[in-house]
Amino acid sequence: MTAFPGGTSVSRLAVYTGACADGLEGGTPHLHTASTEAYVVTGGRGALQTLDMNGLRETELTVGTTVWFTPGTIHRAVNRGGLEVVVVMQNAGLPEAGDAVMTFPPEVVSDRDAYQEAAGLPPGGEEAAVARRRDLAVEGFLRLAESARAGDYGPLLRFYDSAVALVRPKVAGWRRIWETTVAAGTRDTAEVLDALGRGDGIHLRHAMLLEAPPQERWGMCGHLRAHDVTRPIVHAPVHPSTHPPVKPSAHSPVSQPTHSPADPPAHAPVSEPAHPPVSEPAHPPVKPSAHSPVSQPAHSPVDSPAHPPVDPPAHAPVHPPVRPASGRDA
């Protein structure tokens, strides 16, 4: 079993700065269509704005805050001073393959070609493109938030429909990724439990240390130090054993590992789409300029926003959840 624990992925995030149209600084509002995401705050302070069928909310983020949100939760990280987060993402490989959809205005998100153009990061122009797509997504988010405050969730439901239409062609590729990562890890664990129940611990003899070096990237919410956990490095033995390796028995749950960089899964992840919402350039990111709206040293403070944050509902959801129509996934 070489997958990252739980079939998740992990990255470190320094949330963007630079004021948006509403005076707040932070990341690009978006949702995930198939994956739950978690924030573990490690530095600075800020807030997480979320919008779903339960209403518009704002959650304070300080060091030690741990929150997570399920597919369909539109989220926006707001930076109020050096906000840094460890992001844990369900279904390693799917977000990288386009699981996220940004909250562009309806005339953009409902048009596949327009969405591709707005979401892309052209080589050599990544920094400017990151700023443009963030501002466009904030514009769409503010429209959705205004409607939700008024009790009208029709625009949000239409955005959900557009998001599904955008990602639907990618689902077959996502399934191949999931089968070789999360599903394979689940099957491995089941086999290990079966073996332990028989008193068979042969898999313990094939323990290993794995590593995924960081990769600098432009993200949707900020500057990322991501880790490709789907292709880890397997560390070689420090002192090779004087005993020949024991071959796994026919019913052993785990095969003998090699001590070289792990091979790609049998079904390698599908190629990055031309317009992936979360795709990042292959080359190192351009160093942000001093006046970039999305750039700032990871720990430098920012001024308080010119406008107050979105007011969350007092207690109960602003609007009761809507049950999905019969025959559709929840």
Side-chain angles (χ1 to χ4, degrees), residues 211-278:
E211 181 179 0
Q215 302 170 342
E216 301 287 341
R217 296 180 182 175
W218 293 101
M220 283 183 292
C221 292
H223 298 289
L224 287 175
R225 297 193 73 193
H227 303 264
D228 185 358
V229 298
T230 63
R231 294 179 178 85
I233 296 170
V234 181
H235 286 270
V238 177
H239 299 292
S241 174
T242 56
H243 300 284
V246 178
K247 292 184 178 181
S249 60
H251 59 272
S252 176
V254 184
S255 61
Q256 175 70 28
T258 58
H259 294 288
S260 59
D263 295 329
H267 297 286
V270 293
S271 301
E272 191 75 5
H275 59 285
V278 297

Side-chain angles (χ1 to χ4, degrees), residues 301-319:
V302 296
D303 296 331
S304 299
H307 301 284
V310 180
D311 292 327
H315 295 289
V318 174
H319 191 278

